[in-house]
Every structure is written in C-alpha cells, then in structure tokens.
Amino acid sequence: QWFGVSVEDTRKLLDELAGILKGKPLKNKTPVKFGLPNGKDVVLKLAGRGEDGHVYRMNAGDATFAFKVLNRDGNPFEEVANAAYLNARQTKDAATLYLANPSKRWLLMEFIGPNTRLAGRPGRTMEQQGFETNDDFYEPNRINDILVDFGGELCVPRGYMDWATFEQKLRQLGLMR
C-alpha cells in the first residue's frame, strides 16, 4: 500500500495530481496540501525546476518522496527506462524509482535531500558498473553525487543502448515480459 491506499489507487491519484500540476505548476516553495480520497493529506513543495519539468518534495505521513512531473519537452519513457534499469542493477549512486506512469508524464522517486549521502547506500556505483550518461555529471542532475535526473542516453559498458537492447536487458532482469 502507498499513501494508505492500493498501488492502483495511488497511481490514479498521482495521475490526477500530475494533471493538475502540469496545468498549473507550483510557482514558489510554499507548501500546498492536497486531500486524498481516503481522508489523508499529501503536502507538496516545489523542490526544483528544470528543462523537462518540475520536481516536488512530497510528504505523505512520515514518508518523503520526489514527485517529478514532466512537461512536453521531456521523454518520460527514456527517463523511466533508465531509472528502472539502474535500480534493477542496484546502482547506489542513482535515486530509487518507486512508481511511474510515463504516459501521464510523472515519476515517484526517492527524495535526495541535502543530508542524503552516498556512503552507506547498498550496491555499486555507475562508474563501478561501467555506465555513463551523456549528461551524468551536469550539476543539476546529481545531488550529493546521487543521480536524480535520468533523462539522456544511458551508456552501458559496450556502447550506447538502443531500445531493442534495453528491452532484452529488462526481460533478463524479469522486469518485462
């Protein structure tokens, strides 16, 4: 369960919330409370703006998430695919992807704040695994050396990965049928 409701109801809720935020993104860092159908609240606060969309710090009870809502310029399928692949590989310097709906242009991810540290995170780094991205070390894409923006091409140890190779890798990891 997420937010006190099923994963499917959470997806529907986040679909609706993303639609609202795409139409009218938060302009400043003043927290805004949204009531959920189950009587609970989530609080959103603008965490950052980028070329491809907005990122909100989402507090739901004791949990904190990053809710990324992409505009029309970003490629949500590429971003979700890269995040899912790096997470499946237990990449320690990549934020965790929890839930996404690329057709509705949003991702729910681990919130990487100023106190989040790379040390002590499980897994291996992108460098240890031989990965690169075309903009991996562009400053806004990382917080405390942890990748938070998964847009751009993902470079695997033997070259850039095309869609067919990516599908094959997802099948090998049991993430796609």
Side-chain angles (χ1 to χ4, degrees):
Q1 284 199 349
W2 292 75
F3 305 105
V5 296
S6 70
V7 173
E8 182 58 26
D9 287 343
T10 299
R11 186 196 55 78
K12 289 176 185 175
L13 165 78
L14 295 177
D15 285 349
E16 184 178 322
L17 192 54
I20 292 167
L21 293 168
K22 279 188 285 189
K24 189 175 181 185
L26 301 180
K27 301 283 186 203
N28 58 44
K29 295 193 176 196
T30 303
V32 176
K33 186 184 292 189
F34 289 88
L36 303 180
N38 65 357
K40 296 185 179 183
D41 296 320
V42 295
V43 178
L44 293 183
K45 181 178 175 182
L46 181 65
R49 286 176 241 187
E51 272 181 47
D52 297 331
H54 293 74
V55 177
Y56 302 94
R57 180 182 180 140
M58 176 185 280
N59 292 336
D62 294 335
T64 302
F65 304 94
F67 184 53
K68 187 171 192 175
V69 180
L70 300 170
N71 60 30
R72 295 192 190 283
D73 297 331
N75 183 339
F77 294 93
E78 176 183 77
E79 187 137 353
V80 170
N82 286 343
Y85 186 68
L86 289 171
N87 284 185
R89 299 283 307 231
Q90 297 180 347
T91 306
K92 75 188 275 179
D93 59 342
T96 302
L97 173 68
Y98 297 120
L99 195 61
N101 188 345
S103 63
K104 296 292 184 174
R105 308 187 72 77
W106 62 261
L107 298 88
L108 185 69
M109 303 171 62
E110 172 186 13
F111 182 80
I112 305 295
N115 297 323
T116 308
R117 298 286 173 240
L118 183 60
R121 292 171 64 91
R124 296 183 309 145
T125 66
M126 288 178 68
E127 183 179 9
Q128 289 168 334
Q129 295 181 61
F131 288 102
E132 298 173 13
T133 68
N134 60 348
D135 57 0
D136 180 31
F137 288 98
Y138 177 59
E139 189 60 35
N141 293 350
R142 286 186 172 261
I143 298 172
N144 298 338
D145 296 322
I146 301 169
L147 186 66
V148 295
D149 186 340
F150 294 92
E153 292 180 344
L154 182 64
C155 181
V156 296
R158 289 178 289 285
Y160 284 95
M161 188 166 22
D162 63 17
W163 181 248
T165 306
F166 184 75
E167 281 186 355
Q168 180 184 13
K169 296 281 185 192
L170 288 178
R171 282 189 184 94
Q172 289 171 352
L173 292 166
L175 297 173
M176 186 175 186
R177 294 178 190 186

